[in-house]
Amino acid sequence: MDCLRYWVRETHVDGFRFDEGSILARGEDGTPLPHPPVVWQIELDEELADSKLIAEAWDAAGLYQIGHFPGDRWAEWNGRYRDDIRRFVKGEAGVVGAVATRLAGSADLYEDDGELPVNSINFVTCHDGFTLNDVVSYDVKHNENNGEKQSRRHR
């Protein structure tokens, strides 16, 4: 908390993205908490009140909280948006309805918990080395510059 406050106060950082942010929602034993203290401390801190808070709402252990990441101010990377748009761009059949839902704000993910489409950060590609061109050209990631092996091309 001290570091976040320092970055806001001294370096004028206006927001934070928490990679694999769902880890912040786990207890000491790894169990997901309904009211995780760290998430709420960040959300309710007065010095951070004007900061944007963005969570990658999943973690490496499989906790996937898209549409129900704890807290009210948090925006979430919408992995469902990414996946549905990628499937559409690849030309997969039967995805038009899913794409329409994502473009209309992903109400199926956010409205049930009282969140709004503004809680969604829609993206198609990011730091994972899998560009939109790769989506339509390869079966898996294609990023030799990061040491990944050559991928199979789509037929």
Side-chain angles (χ1 to χ4, degrees):
M1 291 299 301
D2 290 338
C3 289
L4 296 177
R5 289 182 199 117
Y6 173 83
W7 290 328
V8 166
R9 184 177 53 250
E10 301 298 327
T11 66
H12 308 288
V13 169
D14 66 353
F16 302 94
R17 183 187 70 84
F18 294 84
D19 196 33
E20 297 200 2
S22 284
I23 194 72
L24 299 174
R26 291 184 181 273
E28 290 180 16
D29 63 354
T31 304
L33 301 172
H35 305 289
V38 173
V39 171
W40 284 100
Q41 270 186 305
I42 293 169
E43 174 155 339
L44 298 174
D45 190 271
E46 288 185 25
E47 282 192 72
L48 305 178
D50 294 326
S51 300
K52 295 168 187 68
L53 302 175
I54 302 169
E56 188 179 55
W58 54 84
D59 66 20
L63 184 56
Y64 194 77
Q65 297 180 299
I66 300 296
H68 55 274
F69 189 82
D72 297 323
R73 290 184 42 222
W74 292 79
E76 306 164 8
W77 276 25
N78 188 341
R80 294 276 304 273
Y81 180 94
R82 174 203 58 211
D83 296 343
D84 289 341
I85 297 299
R86 284 180 174 183
R87 289 174 42 222
F88 178 78
V89 170
K90 285 174 64 173
E92 290 185 23
V95 298
V96 172
V99 168
T101 298
R102 299 298 152 243
L103 293 175
S106 297
D108 61 324
L109 301 176
Y110 295 99
E111 285 186 4
D112 285 348
D113 291 336
E115 294 184 342
L116 301 170
V118 73
N119 291 102
S120 177
I121 302 291
N122 297 335
F123 70 103
V124 177
T125 188
C126 60
H127 63 277
D128 64 2
F130 197 44
T131 68
L132 193 54
N133 183 60
D134 291 344
V135 169
V136 298
S137 302
Y138 301 97
D139 292 327
V140 293
K141 289 183 185 180
H142 179 71
N143 195 353
E144 289 86 7
N145 290 338
N146 285 347
E148 295 179 20
K149 294 181 182 177
Q150 179 98 10
S151 304
R152 294 179 291 130
R153 284 195 175 271
H154 286 302
R155 295 179 196 212

